[in-house]
Amino acid sequence: MSENKKELSPELKERLKAEYNQEWRQKLRTSLKAKERMKISRVQMPERDSEERNKDFEEVNLGLDEEMARREARRCLDCAKPQCVKGCPVGIDIPTFIKLIETGDFVKSVRKIKETNTLPAICGRVCPQEEQCEVVCNLNKATGSPIAIGYLERFVSDYEREKGEIFVPQTSPSTGFKVAVIGAGPAGLTVAGELVKKGHQVTVFEALHHEGGVLVYGIPEFRLPKKTLEAEVDYLRKLGVEFKNNFVVGMTATLDDFKKEGYDAFFVGSGAGLPRFMNIPGENLVGIYSANEYLTRVNLMRAYEFPKYDTPVILGQRVAVIGGGNVAMDSVRTAQRLGAEWAGIVYRRSRKEMPAREEEIHHAEEEGIEFHLLTNPLRYMKDENGQVKSMECIRMKLGEPDSSGRRRPVPIEGSEFTLKVDMVVVAIGQSPNPLIPSTTPELEVGKWGNIEVDWNTMAASMEGVYAGGDIIRGGATVILAMGDARTAASEIDKYLKTKKRKKT
Amino acid sequence: MAKILRRERLVPNVHLIEVEAPRVAKKCQPGQFVILMPDEYGERIPLTIADWDPEKGSVTSVILVVGTSTHKLSLLQEGEEVPVYVGPLGKPSEIKKFGTVLCVGGCFGIGAVYPVARALKEAGNKVISLMDVKANYLLYWEDKFREVSDEFYVSARDSYYNCKEFVPHTVKNLIKKRKIDRVFSIGCTYLIYTCAEATRSKGIKTMVSLNPIMVDGTGMCGACRVTVDGKTKFACVDGPDFDGHLVDWQELFSRRKFYFNDEIQSLNYWEKKEFS
Ligand SMILES: Cc1cc2nc3c(=O)[nH]c(=O)nc-3n(C[C@H](O)[C@H](O)[C@H](O)COP(=O)(O)OP(=O)(O)OC[C@H]3O[C@@H](n4cnc5c(N)ncnc54)[C@H](O)[C@@H]3O)c2cc1C
Ligand SMILES: Cc1cc2nc3c(=O)[nH]c(=O)nc-3n(C[C@H](O)[C@H](O)[C@H](O)COP(=O)(O)OP(=O)(O)OC[C@H]3O[C@@H](n4cnc5c(N)ncnc54)[C@H](O)[C@@H]3O)c2cc1C
Ligand code: SF4
Ligand code: FES
């Protein structure tokens, strides 16, 4: 699923062209020959030493400095037909923001990004650029090393935040319409930002006590510092978005209640919060966590600062994490940081099929994580206290490709072996959160429990209700959630305009 | 943020808190619970809803002081706020006309089972209430219970009240004497376990309100998983009420003591910080 290039909309093509033809761009473009630009080597992300960083929760990547960023920006050829934009699910005007970096106008650059992406500091850190914008970059084809688009995106948004130059745009005059957004993950935050700018009154209802969804409870501090997220949420507050945390829609109030309270439209971005287990013997033993529980204890509840914070977490000494995605990498690296003597991944396919980002796998390897590939757990054994003490595994080999196109792992008979463990994290995926569908019978759901939508408009089967992100896709990515949210926001805006305008 | 309207000691080590939570008060039903955090460093802990007042917009719980969080709650004063208060969570208890029902409560469960008894009475059942206390002075809400019960028993280890044996004996005696159609039990795990065991041989369906360790309370983490009838269930969304004859009790006991050493460490840390 590497190249998911989309054709650009005519409107976007126009905008790109207009920017491309600006005088300053033309000058800049011709100021250095393409051949010279291609001679510059791709910037290396400065990162903390693996032996130092695997013991704490400070961020691993340090970020570029101004000099590095401008040099990297110079590499960009400013192509007439920029392929990168096609690779970006939200169609950021990548060449313009990069060329603004080359001129040193970082603030203008980040504002350019923010026209289409409200959370650049986050996307710059967690987007899989290597399979989106960077993989299709023309420079990648020419030299094998694309522009570091993600690093640059991160650089300008950090610059803006650190310089305190966050720009709060003027919102449109109030329309008097009330919109309820359910879930404060990337999808909900994006919808809220877009709609509040259009003058609607937006309230975000969130079940947990912090905004951010997976960004706050799942992705660890060492990959996404909470302060970057807080800055984005503050920005939305400044725009006028109201947040109601500790509010479980479906329980505290239902969508029907909201309708009676005068909400005109709804966006459901409740994510894929239901952890999957393998249903093998011993899986409920003491010491076996879902990744959601483990990461929530550590990140949201700050168990890594126990006993200053009250929530405990098991400090496993021999920790196996089942799975091969980002969630598994985050869990195993967390266990390592909490002092595990041995922390390893147990994954049933080979390294090539691992869904985690290459950068995360690489960082994990550097930090001393062991990988048991082509291995699957069969059952867990307990000690006299009921805690897991070992797991029986079986070796796998790859057979025919399955529906996802990846080769299906099949067990090798007689290859069973035992791993000694005192803690296990099950990170084999999450399903859509069932709470809203189960309390809103009018909503149509698919066979995975996902809310069904019209993919062109993100409209669900109930009038005025839209959905996006992991609740419709199952576990996907931040940028796809944001893309859905942008579509939904513009459709909600259209929908509200067709409703009879009411006065505030 | 939710404001504490009232916090009082009911009996030694057991406190009542009434919290301003109009949305919860409007929605909640017997058997449901809330999750709260006593302060910003706190743990998210579940408490059963013991009473509510939709007009006033308040929700009441009864807490047994055991560790750091419940200690912190017991020190809250009227007018103070807790940073997290979310609910109602969980499935409501099944309330309908069964005939004769037995409601068993112990320690915090005396408060917690009260709304269940009240609703069962309103649904036209004959309600027998049985309270378990270590000593008579640990009983609270006797008046409230007498109002909704046809019969009221207290199993105390001193001679003041009407029965002295442990709850399972009393339950066995009661079901020997007459036909009881359904039993509801809330309290510490041991109490509800023995209660379910007492009715097993007669096959009287006994609903127990399970209290495994929870984190989010919305089905997101699986901390609260219990095995019921051989299947894994999440107590916070599939329960907390389950058929006590189908629960894997050994698993529940061992999962609940998971963090024993941490809990002691946490309490020590907090007491030192708070009181020295
Ligand atoms: C550990 C981990 C690492 C990841 N790493 C990456 C990565 O590196 N790159 C990447 O692109 N993606 C990554 N992902 C995936 C990405 O985080 C998700 O695809 C994205 O967060 C989905 O956004 P969302 O807004 O749809 O849902 P979520 O982020 O899940 O947010 C949903 C929110 O809704 C709330 N909610 C749910 N039900 C209710 C309700 N009934 N009432 C009120 N609120 C409710 C939840 O509490 C939550 O806050 C990772 C995921 C995890 C778990
Ligand atoms: C659905 C449900 C309803 C409950 N209702 C009530 C109630 O109405 N009144 C009441 O006093 N208690 C109730 N409890 C139990 C209460 O939540 C625990 O006593 C409380 O969390 C203990 O916290 P602590 O920090 O004071 O003690 P700790 O020292 O942390 O723990 C003491 C004991 O409480 C249990 N416990 C610890 N943390 C949690 C947690 N996060 N979730 C659940 N149990 C935990 C542990 O098994 C341990 O045995 C309920 C539990 C559940 C699951
Ligand atoms: S949002 Fe993601 S895909 Fe789009 S340009 Fe930024 S890093 Fe690339
Ligand atoms: S407490 Fe997290 S799923 Fe029940």
Side-chain angles (χ1 to χ4, degrees):
Chain A
M1 51 163 229
S2 58
E3 294 198 27
N4 53 352
K5 274 200 286 183
K6 280 193 302 212
E7 275 318 302
L8 302 178
S9 69
E11 182 261 332
L12 178 54
K13 266 193 194 152
E14 271 312 300
R15 262 199 294 136
L16 289 174
K17 205 166 133 199
E19 293 281 355
Y20 180 79
N21 289 330
Q22 292 223 2
E23 209 186 309
W24 71 269
R25 277 281 282 280
Q26 299 187 11
K27 258 201 203 142
L28 190 67
R29 196 153 48 232
T30 47
S31 68
L32 193 66
K33 286 219 173 65
K35 221 169 70 192
E36 296 304 316
R37 293 185 187 274
M38 277 155 72
K39 275 190 193 153
I40 309 170
S41 59
R42 180 177 155 117
V43 69
Q44 291 277 319
M45 172 57 83
E47 44 183 51
R48 295 170 60 221
D49 182 67
S50 60
E51 276 309 303
E52 173 200 312
R53 73 186 191 226
N54 69 8
K55 292 173 190 69
D56 65 34
F57 282 81
E58 303 287 315
E59 195 171 9
V60 169
N61 287 343
L62 295 167
L64 307 183
D65 62 24
E66 294 185 21
E67 175 54 39
M68 294 162 114
R70 291 186 68 170
R71 188 182 139 95
E72 181 65 17
R74 258 201 313 277
R75 292 180 66 223
C76 171
L77 306 175
D78 200 3
C79 312
K81 290 197 172 134
Q83 298 303 305
C84 51
V85 185
K86 291 187 188 167
C88 174
V90 297
I92 293 179
D93 181 350
I94 296 170
T96 305
F97 103 73
I98 292 183
K99 288 299 128 182
L100 283 166
I101 296 178
E102 187 175 339
T103 66
D105 197 341
F106 306 134
V107 172
K108 215 164 166 187
S109 169
V110 70
R111 280 178 200 162
K112 189 82 220 160
I113 303 178
K114 281 193 169 172
E115 285 174 11
T116 34
N117 177 343
T118 26
L119 309 170
I122 291 161
C123 289
R125 287 174 165 83
V126 305
C127 261
Q129 291 96 7
E130 64 283 359
E131 38 181 83
Q132 296 180 166
C133 45
E134 293 183 15
V135 72
V136 292
C137 169
N138 286 331
L139 210 54
N140 192 25
K141 285 185 206 125
T143 67
S145 79
I147 297 283
I149 300 169
Y151 297 172
L152 291 177
E153 184 181 20
R154 169 185 164 159
F155 167 75
V156 285
S157 47
D158 284 359
Y159 179 90
E160 184 194 34
R161 190 182 63 251
E162 278 155 21
K163 290 281 178 309
E165 296 199 36
I166 307 257
F167 161 77
V168 181
Q170 195 81 45
T171 54
S172 312
S174 166
T175 61
F177 285 114
K178 276 168 71 178
V179 182
V181 172
I182 293 122
L189 294 177
T190 305
V191 164
E194 296 294 318
L195 289 177
V196 82
K197 278 192 265 179
K198 298 212 160 91
H200 307 302
Q201 188 188 329
V202 183
T203 310
V204 181
F205 296 92
E206 166 56 49
L208 294 172
H209 54 281
H210 277 299
E211 305 82 2
V214 166
L215 307 180
V216 66
Y217 77 72
I219 303 182
E221 186 78 16
F222 57 81
R223 212 147 66 77
L224 181 70
K226 298 296 163 288
K227 63 172 196 287
T228 50
L229 177 66
E230 269 160 34
E232 306 287 7
V233 173
D234 268 354
Y235 167 77
L236 292 177
R237 270 209 187 88
K238 283 197 190 116
L239 282 176
V241 175
E242 184 190 13
F243 287 94
K244 287 217 158 113
N245 294 350
N246 305 310
F247 197 117
V248 186
V249 177
M251 301 302 285
T252 314
T254 60
L255 291 190
D256 277 333
D257 296 330
F258 283 155
K259 274 198 176 151
K260 285 183 204 128
E261 289 170 25
Y263 284 93
D264 303 287
F266 306 86
F267 176 79
V268 182
S270 54
L274 182 71
R276 285 206 279 268
F277 287 95
M278 294 177 69
N279 296 317
I280 55 176
E283 214 172 16
N284 292 346
L285 289 177
V286 175
I288 303 184
Y289 285 123
S290 74
N292 272 3
E293 180 182 357
Y294 185 58
L295 293 171
T296 300
R297 282 181 180 274
V298 177
N299 299 324
L300 181 71
M301 304 311 295
R302 305 183 83 98
Y304 66 94
E305 294 185 68
F306 180 85
K308 183 178 165 204
Y309 286 81
D310 296 346
T311 304
V313 70
I314 297 180
L315 303 176
Q317 289 306 297
R318 292 189 54 85
V319 181
V321 175
I322 320 298
N326 286 324
V327 188
M329 295 308 136
D330 284 342
S331 303
V332 77
R333 294 171 71 198
T334 297
Q336 171 98 335
R337 281 164 172 73
L338 288 175
E341 269 163 32
W342 178 86
I345 287 283
V346 173
Y347 179 57
R348 63 193 177 129
R349 305 182 205 242
S350 70
R351 191 182 189 286
K352 210 174 83 212
E353 285 82 19
M354 279 192 158
R357 290 190 62 194
E358 179 54 36
E359 181 181 44
E360 306 315 323
I361 302 175
H362 176 68
H363 277 158
E365 285 172 338
E366 275 182 353
E367 288 167 14
I369 302 299
E370 209 174 287
F371 287 72
H372 282 273
L373 301 172
L374 289 166
T375 305
N376 215 20
L378 292 175
R379 65 193 175 104
Y380 301 100
M381 275 76 75
K382 63 179 172 188
D383 66 10
E384 61 285 0
N385 298 318
Q387 180 165 357
V388 61
K389 67 164 189 196
S390 61
M391 60 194 273
E392 189 181 45
C393 299
I394 189 160
R395 301 259 185 237
M396 314 289 279
K397 60 175 186 234
L398 293 179
E400 295 299 303
D402 65 11
S403 57
S404 73
R406 293 181 301 177
R407 292 173 66 196
R408 187 194 305 274
V410 282
I412 305 174
E413 237 174 275
S415 67
E416 292 86 350
F417 68 100
T418 303
L419 266 181
K420 198 170 153 261
V421 291
D422 61 0
M423 191 183 116
V424 173
V425 179
V426 183
I428 58 164
Q430 285 93 237
S431 308
N433 192 313
L435 250 179
I436 308 250
S438 72
T439 51
T440 319
E442 301 95 307
L443 273 183
E444 257 171 55
V445 284
K447 71 171 171 193
W448 304 111
N450 51 299
I451 293 182
E452 295 277 14
V453 295
D454 171 345
W455 286 87
N456 294 317
T457 62
M458 299 295 143
S461 59
M462 215 172 136
E463 199 202 314
V465 179
Y466 296 74
D470 282 3
I471 184 69
I472 65 169
R473 298 172 178 271
T477 60
V478 172
I479 193 69
L480 287 172
M482 290 178 49
D484 294 349
R486 288 180 59 81
T487 309
S490 89
E491 292 295 325
I492 291 173
D493 188 52
K494 276 191 220 157
Y495 167 76
L496 291 175
K497 282 186 180 137
T498 62
K499 267 194 145 186
K500 230 175 87 201
R501 211 161 269 270
K502 43 176 196 181
K503 291 269 162 281
T504 17
Chain B
M1 288 283 186
K3 195 155 91 194
I4 308 294
L5 299 174
R6 183 157 64 112
R7 202 274 311 142
E8 72 185 37
R9 198 181 74 173
L10 289 171
V11 293
N13 221 34
V14 175
H15 295 249
L16 167 154
I17 53 166
E18 185 178 359
V19 180
E20 184 177 69
R23 290 254 186 199
V24 184
K26 219 157 77 186
K27 273 274 156 185
C28 65
Q29 294 174 58
Q32 289 188 301
F33 63 94
V34 295
I35 286 217
L36 55 69
M37 247 165 83
D39 60 30
E40 57 173 318
Y41 297 100
E43 206 173 346
R44 292 172 66 97
I45 67 154
L47 295 176
T48 310
I49 297 171
D51 210 348
W52 62 92
D53 182 342
E55 248 121 73
K56 189 172 164 196
S58 76
V59 178
T60 299
S61 292
V62 173
I63 40 181
L64 173 75
V65 178
V66 284
T68 311
S69 313
T70 45
H71 264 98
K72 285 178 174 176
L73 289 175
S74 72
L75 295 177
L76 286 172
Q77 300 298 326
E78 192 184 307
E80 285 184 303
E81 289 187 326
V82 286
V84 172
Y85 191 89
V86 53
L89 300 171
K91 289 212 169 86
S93 300
E94 188 190 356
I95 305 286
K96 62 176 192 197
K97 188 162 179 195
F98 297 103
T100 304
V101 295
L102 172 62
C103 296
V104 185
C107 61
F108 75 81
I110 297 178
V113 82
Y114 167 72
V116 177
R118 180 175 62 191
L120 287 165
K121 179 76 194 165
E122 279 164 14
N125 292 285
K126 177 169 182 199
V127 176
I128 308 175
S129 298
L130 168 59
M131 303 296 114
D132 174 67
V133 290
K134 287 216 162 50
N136 64 65
Y137 63 87
L138 295 175
L139 181 68
Y140 56 94
W141 284 14
E142 179 170 351
D143 294 350
K144 285 177 86 146
F145 268 100
R146 289 203 184 271
E147 236 170 73
V148 300
S149 316
D150 295 278
E151 289 171 41
F152 181 73
Y153 299 94
V154 178
S155 158
R157 304 303 105 68
D158 54 11
S159 55
Y160 182 86
Y161 270 105
N162 42 12
C163 47
K164 235 164 86 173
E165 338 85 308
F166 282 112
V167 151
H169 289 128
T170 319
V171 172
K172 275 196 171 140
N173 286 339
L174 282 168
I175 61 179
K176 216 183 284 165
K177 277 188 260 169
R178 75 194 84 188
K179 182 170 170 289
I180 285 178
D181 301 287
R182 184 66 66 107
V183 179
F184 292 84
S185 181
I186 311 187
C188 72
T189 311
Y190 189 70
L191 175 88
I192 59 179
Y193 159 70
T194 52
C195 194
E197 289 310 305
T199 59
R200 190 187 287 276
S201 61
K202 277 213 152 191
I204 303 171
K205 194 160 180 179
T206 301
M207 301 308 288
V208 290
S209 176
L210 298 186
N211 41 22
I213 289 172
M214 294 188 176
V215 181
D216 61 300
T218 65
M220 181 270 270
C221 76
C224 62
R225 58 198 197 277
V226 290
T227 301
V228 181
D229 202 13
K231 292 188 198 74
T232 296
K233 298 277 176 191
F234 287 9
C236 69
V237 285
D238 302 322
D241 280 13
F242 292 99
D243 183 338
H245 298 154
L246 303 177
V247 171
D248 181 339
W249 292 99
Q250 281 324 308
E251 180 184 280
L252 180 62
F253 279 116
S254 79
R255 285 186 67 86
R256 274 185 51 85
K257 55 174 205 242
F258 219 90
Y259 296 101
F260 190 68
N261 292 331
D262 294 317
E263 284 155 4
I264 298 194
Q265 191 193 344
S266 162
L267 192 57
N268 276 337
Y269 175 89
W270 174 76
E271 282 183 342
K272 257 197 211 119
K273 205 175 80 179
E274 192 72 18
F275 301 111
S276 63

